[in-house]
Amino acid sequence: MMVNLGSILIFTTFILAGLLTYFLARVSKMSGRIGGALTGLFSIIFVYLFFHIYSLPGVQNLMFLLIGLVYVSSLFLLVSKETPPIQYLLFSGAAGSTFAFINGLDFITAFIFLELSTVFVFLSIVSGDRKKGGFLYLLFNGTGGLLFLYLLYFIYMKTGRFDYSAIAFLKPDEKILALTIGFLTFAIKMGTMPFHIWQPYAYRDADNGITVFLSGAISKIGVFGAFLMVFLQGSSFRISGNVYAYLGVITAVLAGLYALLQEDAKRLLAYSSLSQLGYVVIGLGLANSLSISGAILHAVSHGIFESLLFLVVGAVYIRTKTTDLNKLGGLITYMPISFIALLFGIIATSGIPPTIGFPSKWMLYHALVINGDPVLLSLTFLASILAFLYSFRLVYSIFLGPYTLKEKVGEAPFPALAGMVFFLLPLLILGLFPGLVLKFIELPVVRFGLPDFSFTPATLKTPLATVNFLTVGVVFIAWFVVAILVYAFAGRSRWVPVKNNYTAAEAIEDERILHYTGDFYRFIRRDMNFLLRHSIQRFYRRLFNLFGVIGDGISRIYTGDVRTYVYFILLFILIVLFKIKGGFPCLW
Amino acid sequence: MVSPTLLLASLLGFAFLSGLIGIRFKKGVAYILPIVFAVTLGLLIYMSRGVLDGGFLQGFTGGEKPPYSINLVLTPFSLLILFLVHTLSFLLSIHLLIRGVPEPATKFVPLFILNILGVSGIILTGDLFNLFVFLEILSISSVSLIGFMRDGKGLEGGLKYLIVGGVGSSLYLLAVIILYKYTGTLNMADVGMRIGEVPEGMRQFVMLLIIAGLGVEAEIFPFNMWVPDAYQGADTRVTTLLASITSKAGMFGLVRVLFTVLGAGMNILLYLGVITFVISELMALKTKNIKRVLAYSSMGQAGLAMIAFGINTASSIATGMLLMINHAVSKFVMFGSIEVLTDRFGLDDIKGIGLKIPVPAWSFLLATLSLLGFPFFIGFWVKLNLIFSLKPYLLVPVLLIFAVEIAYYTRILWTMFSGEAKMGKTLAGSSAVLLIGVVIVIALAFVYPYILNLSVKGTSELLFRGLYIYHVLGGGL
Amino acid sequence: MLVVKAILTAILVIILGLLYGGIARKVTARVHRRYGPPFYQNFIDVIKLFSKRLPTSHGVMFELGPVMAFGGMLVSLMFLPVGRGNPLFTFEGDLFVLLYLIVVAPLGMALGAGQASNPNATIGIARGLTLMIGYEFVFFVSVLPIIKDMHTVNLFRIAMAQSGSLSSLNAVKYPFSFAAALISMHAMLGEKPFDQTVAPHEIASGPMVEYGGKFLGLLQLYHAIAIIVETGLVVTFFLGGFSMPVFFLLTFVLFIMAVIVNTVMPRFRIFQAVQFFFLLPLVLAVINIIINAG
């Protein structure tokens, strides 16, 4: 059992950085903030330069870049608010284990850091105010770890090795088993549909800075692992691939539907994150070079826009102390930059060009059309309509509508704004040049048969069509300039308070809330009731109860009467003696 | 060279002394506890030097060599477990000093020391009958401790233990008598050498009797019925002692006799271990009283250790020892924390106490993580090792039950850390000792290779019974 | 050259769209047995709205909303092959590009109306977005067999493949899908029974309620383009391959059909509308998929 040395060193670096920050933060808040930012930045630069991460194979390198980006931004959110010192340490631990996981090249390393990330995230959530999510997180991810342990054992017993390439030595049917187990593990990590229960709670209950990292980076453990499983199996995957694609699409649709009905921004985003990761699962499940590229690209874009959204919501929380969509509203006046960031975030979430969300979805659609399953294709489209709906709900309830808070609030703190800019740049640039990301995964995806798919930095070409994303972007911007010109030449306007118009002359007291925000999509709740009624949570509760029933049966043995205890001892001896007399050689 | 006898003698002496001191200094008598275990720990460390080099350390009575005298043998395996037992006893005694010894202390302190004497004796002895004697010391002191508070539950638990333990001891005694009849000796090594002289059928019968007899102490199914009742009934301070320390003696004795003396029964041990593990963990899932849950979990862990021993390969036996260590330390912290946290143990009663009294609750949480086998704790390495020494057909049930374990511990933690705390016990004294326990669990993970090395040294004497026999009988020749 | 062509297309489509709107008002009036405004009334309205001074504003997003709607619709127009003429851009328009660009405009309007914080406006948006689940989904399902059979999502190629005989039209090949697409187009246009978003008698024209002056003018222009783009999408998919005048004629025919239905229909309640989409049109679309698969 040799653990990857590089991974250990990376992990140690981050833990040391975390410890340093922890002690600095104990000294004073300010030193903690500055120290946190500096040590975090230093450790990521150090890791990147010292360990030659850039020379890693493509997908690993890509994940490193992405997670590094998310790491820096969530660190910025952490330092721009009052973060309890221990969170710095746990955050560093989680980050270190994520990096170490990506860096590892064998199952033992992967398992150790998988479990470590679970522990750190669990402790981090549990040391916050709300804890429910932490325990659900532990329950699901701990079980996922057991599945991975099974995989570990299985591969070791069959091949005697631990490195990833050992899978190549398995027989086809063994490969399928190994793949299924591994994929399930990482599906739990991603929160794919039957295993998603933990995610909304965990995302809601975690510290805001940690949530950014959870959604943007920790979920990439799942993506990377699932990719690895698909990648290592190559051709034998297709047999069961469609099942995963269906899992993915069910996740995308149902999570989107649940997201519509949330009244808490972080829970809404959690479901949105689930739904977007559903696309990734679809792409991985189809397992051809186009879909895999699309899935990885979408994972990257998910990492960028979902983290951006969580970052903005975290910044809003810093100022308003709430993430309840019914209590927020009208913040655009006071937090315009955050508004713009959130706007671009939701545009990317809905997959509208010219943001990064578009090319990835475009590729997935093309892969789906080539695959030719109408159910998959149409449900995927449904999911993206839902994405549009819940995104609008988010931006509307937080930033638009009447201002509902008592006192005025300021713009988000500077580090948080810097974090937003960090995300906005790749969000737009990669939207115009998606090929830049695809270049990283050009080599690995060759493995999965090629449907005539090629790309340059700005264009993607599939058998179905060719799209130049730069042109789309330029046309987009050009006509927007035209529209703005029309608007600008049509004269000036005059600002009027909101209520002057629609309440006419009637004097109404300010306390009465006249705008429409709570239970925004009540029509859908009414319509989709038949779907929403059957929750998977009930299934898990039943499963739990089932084990309880078995326990009940067994508990008959534990009568509490000491006579039966003695009978049992004697009975045991008699039975085994009888067995021996009857010949039961293996007992000897 | 110090003879292992000194260890037992000092324990016995201190037990006697504490009784005497108790006559004059009713309050001060508790302070003798840490001193006792500091002394015994010092002795152990002193004695360990020879053992770590691979030799066995023996002590005889009457100046005769083993077959003709009662002997005490300190082997690597017993050193490991003894060290564990005495470290935890030391920690527990400090914990008791801080938290308050159950009153009357003049009776509690000698019983505590006697209990450890029984444990140490079982671990050290090289004589079958002597083991019976120590078993009796152990069970009588345990019974007294369980019923120490003289409340209904405690007395009930104590009585049940007394009866079941009595049956177990007599079965064991019967086995010893049979062995003596055929071999004419009581020395373990000697009996081990002459085991061929016992007829086949009788040997199996003896094996059964020994499993049943020592199984009572080792908490394996179906001899462990008394455990939940006793653990629940006893004062929590006592339960800490029983679960983390005393239970290790039974396991050790069972393994020692089966492996060294009979050289048989590993398969039965394996099956019983699996049954114990599955049944106990499922019971724990269903149980609502937290002390009972922990008791079932203890039984489950004992079952797991028995699985590891029963597989009977070098790595699995080492894992079995590691499991005993992990379980002892984590359960010490867990029961200790429960003791600090509350005096009512329903699932409703512990609601929200974690928010109110954070330090012990967090200790509980971290110890649970170790017991569940998460990294940064010794439990992780143990679990990893265990999985790789399992037989393929055992893998799925064991992993499934692991999941069950995670489920019910999550529920307990969740209950502890959510909701409004009922006003229960509010005395939140210092619980620094628990944190030390947590630190040990974490620190062990970092010196894991060393621990593994130690336990691997201990495996050879179990795997190759000739080694033990040679060392005890022929080593001095 | 490309730029000039793009601008000319935009101007042509705006003019035609306003004209269609004016004719629609006339048709509606005649069905109601009124005389109705002149067919150029919409041009007058737009000029009037743009020449109004100091229109009411409620904030930055309120002002930028109509701009976004107008700009977004113009962008979508660029990726729709108008008739048989040379495609405007090298890649000739991709279904998914267009589908995603089309939602920019509603998003802009919704954002603008959102800042107006008039409950009527917000209710209108919520309804509009809810309805979107119905019609967008159904439209997508209805074109599925086409893109699957033709194995392309290139709109120009889809349109051109239908030229030639009448029987090569997709409307003939996929009649059920065509019906479903027409129904969803009807909802896209926001005509009764799917005008819950605007619902003038109920929520005072919904998202537009606070708008006036140049903002309303921009929204009128947006609506004019939207008429052509939305009907044009259906034409491209089901009646494609004709020259540009025929293309516009077909869009006009489809639009006037929708308007006539509009004049005689009551309004669905919003959840009835969504339920309706998941019953009849979806079933129609699915029938055609099944027929094609078999």
Side-chain angles (χ1 to χ4, degrees):
Chain A
M1 282 193 222
M2 272 309 294
V3 182
N4 189 320
L5 196 64
S7 293
I8 293 178
L9 286 176
I10 290 172
F11 181 69
T12 320
T13 311
F14 276 91
I15 282 290
L16 288 179
L19 276 173
L20 187 62
T21 318
Y22 173 72
F23 289 119
L24 284 175
R26 288 301 287 263
V27 174
S28 83
K29 276 173 192 162
M30 210 52 219
S31 69
R33 288 180 180 186
I34 296 168
L38 288 183
T39 51
L41 284 177
F42 174 74
S43 51
I44 189 144
I45 292 168
F46 174 75
V47 162
Y48 203 79
L49 293 182
F50 188 75
F51 293 106
H52 302 280
I53 303 298
Y54 47 83
S55 61
L56 281 176
V59 180
Q60 271 168 307
N61 196 353
L62 183 65
M63 287 294 159
F64 248 100
L65 283 172
L66 176 67
I67 294 172
L69 182 71
V70 178
Y71 171 76
V72 172
S73 301
S74 41
L75 190 69
F76 277 13
L77 186 61
L78 276 179
V79 298
S80 59
K81 67 192 184 64
E82 304 230 333
T83 306
I86 190 74
Q87 293 287 6
Y88 284 115
L89 179 59
L90 297 172
F91 170 66
S92 276
S97 39
T98 311
F99 281 115
F101 175 85
I102 304 285
N103 185 56
L105 286 166
D106 58 89
F107 287 105
I108 284 284
T109 312
F111 180 62
I112 290 174
F113 290 107
L114 192 72
E115 294 285 83
L116 267 176
S117 73
T118 306
V119 169
F120 277 113
V121 173
F122 165 67
L123 289 177
S124 159
I125 300 176
V126 168
S127 53
D129 292 336
R130 286 193 286 191
K131 298 180 160 58
K132 185 181 182 186
F135 296 115
L136 281 173
Y137 182 86
L138 183 71
L139 184 57
F140 276 85
N141 287 279
T143 315
L146 294 178
L147 280 175
F148 197 74
L149 199 53
Y150 182 87
L151 178 72
L152 205 66
Y153 178 89
F154 184 77
I155 286 170
Y156 184 70
M157 284 301 137
K158 297 289 178 197
T159 66
R161 299 167 53 172
F162 281 122
D163 51 329
Y164 286 152
S165 52
I167 284 194
F169 298 100
L170 294 177
K171 295 190 195 83
D173 52 335
E174 293 171 347
K175 266 189 186 177
I176 291 172
L177 180 67
L179 165 84
T180 315
I181 301 287
F183 206 89
L184 284 180
T185 313
F186 293 114
I188 292 176
K189 211 74 186 171
M190 280 190 275
T192 308
M193 216 35 158
F195 319 112
H196 67 284
I197 308 286
W198 60 273
Q199 210 174 41
Y201 292 103
Y203 284 15
R204 184 196 67 187
D205 296 349
D207 184 282
N208 289 325
I210 309 279
T211 316
V212 175
F213 195 73
L214 261 181
S215 157
I218 303 264
S219 67
K220 296 303 167 294
I221 290 185
V223 173
F224 180 70
F227 168 77
L228 209 63
M229 288 300 130
V230 178
F231 177 71
L232 293 172
Q233 325 270 326
S235 56
S236 67
F237 182 77
R238 301 244 171 89
I239 305 162
S240 46
N242 259 351
V243 178
Y244 299 116
Y246 268 96
L247 269 187
V249 84
I250 289 169
T251 308
V253 172
L254 283 182
L257 211 53
Y258 283 120
L260 293 182
L261 308 175
Q262 301 308 313
E263 301 295 321
D264 180 284
K266 282 179 85 182
R267 269 181 76 93
L268 189 152
L269 282 180
Y271 276 113
S272 131
S273 175
L274 265 174
S275 170
Q276 298 297 327
L277 284 171
Y279 285 95
V280 177
V281 178
I282 297 170
L284 292 177
L286 292 184
N288 56 50
S289 66
L290 179 62
S291 77
I292 300 259
S293 309
I296 297 291
L297 186 60
H298 197 71
V300 171
S301 63
H302 168 269
I304 291 172
F305 64 68
E306 211 70 54
S307 313
L308 174 62
L309 295 179
F310 271 116
L311 188 64
V312 175
V313 169
V316 166
Y317 183 83
I318 292 175
R319 292 304 183 210
T320 62
K321 299 292 169 230
T322 179
T323 56
D324 189 340
L325 290 176
N326 294 337
K327 291 187 185 143
L328 290 166
L331 283 175
I332 181 172
T333 330
Y334 303 105
M335 307 178 79
I337 302 176
S338 307
F339 168 72
I340 291 169
L342 188 78
L343 184 60
F344 276 101
I346 66 145
I347 286 178
T349 311
S350 346
I352 295 171
T355 56
I356 178 134
F358 178 61
S360 53
K361 280 192 181 170
W362 183 88
M363 284 172 81
L364 287 174
Y365 279 124
H366 278 228
L368 282 165
V369 172
I370 292 171
N371 180 56
D373 187 336
V375 180
L376 271 181
L377 183 54
S378 50
L379 285 182
T380 312
F381 187 72
L382 182 62
S384 73
I385 302 171
L386 295 173
F388 183 66
L389 266 69
Y390 63 68
S391 319
F392 177 72
R393 168 83 206 275
L394 188 70
V395 71
Y396 169 73
S397 294
I398 296 179
F399 284 102
L400 303 176
Y403 187 68
T404 46
L405 298 171
K406 289 274 178 288
E407 65 278 1
K408 289 176 179 171
V409 298
E411 177 57 271
F414 174 73
L417 288 181
M420 290 172 202
V421 174
F422 269 169
F423 283 127
L424 273 181
L425 288 179
L427 184 116
L428 292 171
I429 293 172
L430 296 180
L432 299 179
F433 301 103
L436 295 180
V437 177
L438 294 177
K439 223 167 71 195
F440 283 99
I441 45 179
E442 200 173 4
L443 285 178
V445 295
V446 171
R447 218 181 135 94
F448 304 96
L450 286 167
D452 183 25
F453 158 62
S454 60
F455 62 89
T456 66
T459 41
L460 301 181
K461 179 173 174 296
T462 72
L464 300 176
T466 314
V467 163
N468 186 330
F469 290 91
L470 187 60
T471 316
V472 175
V474 169
V475 172
F476 195 91
I477 292 160
W479 279 112
F480 263 75
V481 170
V482 170
I484 287 172
L485 284 179
V486 171
Y487 155 81
F489 278 107
R492 293 186 303 151
S493 59
R494 160 178 60 111
W495 186 78
V496 173
V498 171
K499 283 184 179 171
N500 279 16
N501 235 359
Y502 73 87
T503 59
E506 192 184 348
I508 51 164
E509 62 273 32
D510 275 349
E511 282 69 35
R512 265 172 72 188
I513 296 171
L514 282 173
H515 75 302
Y516 171 86
T517 177
D519 203 4
F520 199 75
Y521 293 113
R522 63 189 67 186
F523 324 112
I524 299 172
R525 188 194 293 283
R526 225 161 15 192
D527 268 9
M528 301 289 171
N529 214 2
F530 67 97
L531 258 180
L532 304 175
R533 216 171 34 222
H534 300 284
S535 86
I536 194 82
Q537 259 166 337
R538 205 182 295 172
F539 167 74
Y540 282 114
R541 210 163 292 139
R542 280 191 190 144
L543 195 69
F544 197 88
N545 288 346
L546 177 72
F547 277 104
V549 169
I550 297 173
D552 261 338
I554 294 169
S555 71
R556 299 285 158 90
I557 302 168
Y558 290 81
T559 51
D561 183 349
V562 71
R563 278 173 300 182
T564 47
Y565 298 178
V566 178
Y567 293 153
F568 266 115
I569 299 178
L570 301 177
L571 202 65
F572 167 79
I573 293 175
L574 285 178
I575 288 173
V576 180
L577 263 185
F578 176 75
K579 278 286 181 192
I580 291 172
K581 290 290 172 205
F584 199 65
C586 74
L587 281 176
W588 186 238
Chain B
M1 273 295 173
V2 181
S3 162
T5 325
L6 200 55
L7 189 77
L8 299 184
S10 57
L11 277 171
L12 199 57
F14 274 117
F16 188 61
L17 200 64
S18 65
L20 285 182
I21 293 171
I23 297 172
R24 281 301 297 272
F25 308 103
K26 283 208 165 59
K27 293 287 169 205
V29 69
Y31 288 94
I32 204 170
L33 280 175
I35 301 171
V36 177
F37 297 115
V39 169
T40 51
L41 266 178
L43 280 174
L44 266 178
I45 291 167
Y46 187 75
M47 285 189 289
S48 67
R49 272 191 259 154
V51 178
L52 289 182
D53 294 340
F56 288 14
L57 192 62
Q58 286 200 59
F60 324 119
T61 53
E64 285 288 335
K65 288 270 171 196
Y68 311 109
S69 68
I70 296 172
N71 63 333
L72 299 175
V73 191
L74 189 67
T75 66
F77 181 29
S78 49
L79 177 72
L80 193 69
I81 304 301
L82 264 186
F83 199 75
L84 174 75
V85 165
H86 283 268
T87 315
L88 286 180
S89 308
F90 181 67
L91 286 178
L92 183 60
S93 55
I94 292 177
H95 183 63
L96 284 178
L97 272 186
I98 296 170
R99 302 286 312 151
V101 177
E103 293 298 329
T106 43
K107 289 178 183 163
F108 180 81
V109 172
L111 280 174
F112 185 6
I113 300 176
L114 276 179
N115 197 288
I116 303 298
L117 171 70
V119 173
S120 311
I122 290 173
I123 294 171
L124 274 174
T125 186
D127 188 281
L128 283 173
F129 187 74
N130 207 350
L131 197 148
F132 172 73
V133 173
F134 284 119
L135 203 63
E136 287 297 303
I137 294 178
L138 177 79
S139 69
I140 288 169
S141 59
S142 297
V143 168
S144 325
L145 283 172
I146 293 168
F148 197 76
M149 300 315 268
R150 298 191 186 183
D151 55 337
K153 283 264 174 193
L155 288 175
E156 183 196 332
L159 188 65
K160 281 176 180 170
Y161 178 44
L162 186 66
I163 294 168
V164 179
V167 172
S169 312
S170 47
L171 290 176
Y172 174 74
L173 192 59
L174 185 58
V176 172
I177 291 167
I178 293 169
L179 282 176
Y180 186 66
K181 174 176 182 291
Y182 284 101
T183 61
T185 174
L186 285 172
N187 186 285
M188 284 187 191
D190 209 14
V191 176
M193 198 164 68
R194 291 157 195 260
I195 195 71
E197 294 166 17
V198 184
E200 170 81 23
M202 209 37 106
R203 244 188 309 182
Q204 284 169 337
F205 186 53
V206 166
M207 176 193 73
L208 272 183
L209 290 178
I210 282 176
I211 287 180
L214 291 174
V216 174
E217 305 292 333
E219 303 185 354
I220 54 178
F221 188 83
F223 322 113
N224 57 7
M225 309 285 181
W226 58 274
V227 176
D229 297 331
Y231 281 18
Q232 187 192 1
D235 186 85
T236 319
R237 288 163 284 194
V238 175
T239 316
T240 315
L241 172 71
L242 293 177
S244 62
I245 301 170
T246 311
S247 62
K248 299 297 160 293
M251 288 184 218
F252 185 95
L254 183 58
V255 169
R256 169 65 85 212
V257 175
L258 282 186
F259 277 70
T260 307
V261 179
L262 298 176
M266 285 68 163
N267 272 331
I268 290 196
L269 205 58
L270 176 61
Y271 298 140
L272 285 182
V274 173
I275 296 172
T276 312
F277 185 51
V278 173
I279 287 188
S280 311
E281 300 290 7
L282 285 176
M283 283 298 291
L285 184 72
K286 188 224 152 226
T287 310
K288 292 283 191 319
N289 182 304
I290 184 164
K291 262 168 97 177
R292 272 185 98 87
V293 171
L294 292 185
Y296 283 123
S297 154
S298 292
M299 288 146 62
Q301 291 293 319
L304 205 56
M306 289 306 133
I307 293 174
F309 282 117
I311 290 169
N312 198 13
T313 61
S315 74
S316 78
I317 290 176
T319 310
M321 297 175 194
L322 290 173
L323 274 169
M324 284 165 78
I325 295 173
N326 179 35
H327 173 242
V329 185
S330 342
K331 269 286 147 56
F332 168 72
V333 177
M334 286 159 85
F335 270 116
S337 315
I338 287 298
E339 195 268 317
V340 181
L341 283 171
T342 178
D343 49 6
R344 279 177 300 160
F345 307 101
L347 214 48
D348 290 336
D349 299 319
I350 62 164
K351 196 176 271 178
I353 51 176
L355 303 171
K356 222 166 152 192
I357 318 174
V359 175
W362 277 88
S363 313
F364 183 89
L365 188 144
L366 293 175
T368 308
L369 286 184
S370 178
L371 195 68
L372 295 178
F374 282 100
F376 247 82
F377 306 98
I378 178 77
F380 176 71
W381 298 110
V382 178
K383 188 167 78 172
L384 209 56
N385 232 342
L386 173 77
I387 293 300
F388 281 106
S389 48
L390 277 184
K391 291 184 170 150
Y393 64 89
L394 282 177
L395 188 65
V396 174
V398 165
L399 284 179
L400 207 64
I401 298 300
F402 268 143
V404 169
E405 212 178 1
I406 292 179
Y408 71 76
Y409 271 119
T410 312
R411 187 174 62 175
I412 289 179
L413 290 174
W414 186 347
T415 324
M416 257 167 113
F417 283 98
S418 64
E420 274 297 301
K422 280 185 191 168
M423 284 302 292
K425 187 172 166 187
T426 45
L427 51 119
S430 163
S431 30
V433 178
L434 302 173
L435 287 180
I436 293 175
V438 171
V439 169
I440 290 179
V441 176
I442 294 172
L444 281 177
F446 285 94
V447 295
Y448 167 74
Y450 182 70
I451 305 281
L452 185 67
N453 205 5
L454 261 185
S455 30
V456 166
K457 267 186 192 150
T459 54
S460 52
E461 69 180 80
L462 295 180
L463 273 179
F464 312 109
R465 13 197 312 264
L467 194 70
Y468 181 91
I469 295 168
Y470 168 78
H471 267 285
V472 173
L473 293 180
L477 293 177
Chain C
M1 189 58 210
L2 195 71
V3 177
V4 175
K5 216 153 93 180
I7 292 171
L8 282 178
T9 316
I11 291 171
L12 176 66
V13 165
I14 288 174
I15 290 171
L16 281 175
L18 289 174
L19 195 66
Y20 288 9
I23 296 171
R25 288 169 82 171
K26 195 89 186 163
V27 170
T28 312
R30 283 302 161 86
V31 174
H32 289 168
R33 301 187 177 224
R34 290 186 280 117
Y35 183 74
F39 69 90
Y40 50 83
Q41 181 63 41
N42 272 2
F43 294 96
I44 299 174
D45 285 352
V46 169
I47 292 167
K48 179 195 74 184
L49 286 170
F50 270 104
S51 54
K52 279 210 167 183
R53 279 189 302 149
L54 294 181
T56 309
S57 159
H58 291 315
V60 182
M61 199 63 231
F62 180 81
E63 300 196 14
L64 286 181
V67 177
M68 200 170 159
F70 178 54
M73 228 24 172
L74 279 173
V75 179
S76 341
L77 177 65
M78 292 302 113
F79 296 97
L80 181 76
V82 177
R84 201 187 241 166
N86 284 335
L88 274 174
F89 293 100
T90 45
F91 52 91
E92 307 149 5
D94 174 297
L95 170 68
F96 295 107
V97 177
L98 186 58
L99 279 179
Y100 273 96
L101 281 173
I102 273 187
V103 293
V104 175
L107 178 65
M109 200 159 104
L111 287 172
Q115 207 187 9
S117 58
N118 185 323
N120 283 337
T122 320
I123 290 172
I125 296 165
R127 287 177 172 191
L129 292 174
T130 308
L131 194 61
M132 200 180 227
I133 298 181
Y135 64 76
E136 286 264 359
F137 182 60
V138 167
F139 180 77
F140 189 72
V141 175
S142 71
V143 301
L144 265 187
I146 298 173
I147 56 178
K148 205 176 156 221
D149 290 355
M150 295 198 173
H151 204 70
T152 180
V153 290
N154 185 318
L155 294 179
F156 185 68
R157 258 188 263 164
I158 290 175
M160 291 317 288
Q162 301 172 53
S163 61
S165 67
L166 204 63
S167 60
S168 65
L169 282 182
N170 283 337
V172 181
K173 279 200 234 164
Y174 310 94
F176 295 105
S177 295
F178 183 47
L182 277 183
I183 297 174
S184 67
M185 182 201 79
H186 198 86
M188 270 186 220
L189 290 169
E191 305 291 357
K192 279 181 211 149
F194 303 114
D195 70 334
Q196 294 85 359
T197 314
V198 187
H201 331 93
E202 200 182 339
I203 50 173
S205 71
M208 264 105 75
V209 63
E210 290 276 336
Y211 280 112
K214 63 174 175 175
F215 306 122
L216 195 56
L218 280 171
L219 288 177
Q220 292 262 341
L221 293 184
Y222 145 71
H223 191 64
I225 308 169
I227 290 173
I228 306 273
V229 170
E230 282 153 6
T231 50
L233 198 56
V234 177
V235 169
T236 308
F237 265 101
F238 291 96
L239 303 163
F242 295 107
S243 62
M244 198 196 283
V246 184
F247 172 84
F248 282 121
L249 186 69
L250 285 170
T251 55
F252 179 71
V253 170
L254 290 187
F255 177 62
I256 292 300
M257 274 165 58
V259 168
I260 292 171
V261 173
N262 174 41
T263 53
V264 296
M265 279 293 211
R267 184 182 312 127
F268 272 141
R269 288 167 72 187
I270 177 67
F271 64 94
Q272 289 169 330
V274 177
Q275 274 173 5
F276 169 78
F277 268 111
F278 279 89
L279 292 175
L280 179 68
L282 187 62
V283 169
L284 282 177
V286 169
I287 285 175
N288 227 324
I289 290 179
I290 293 169
I291 290 173
N292 265 57

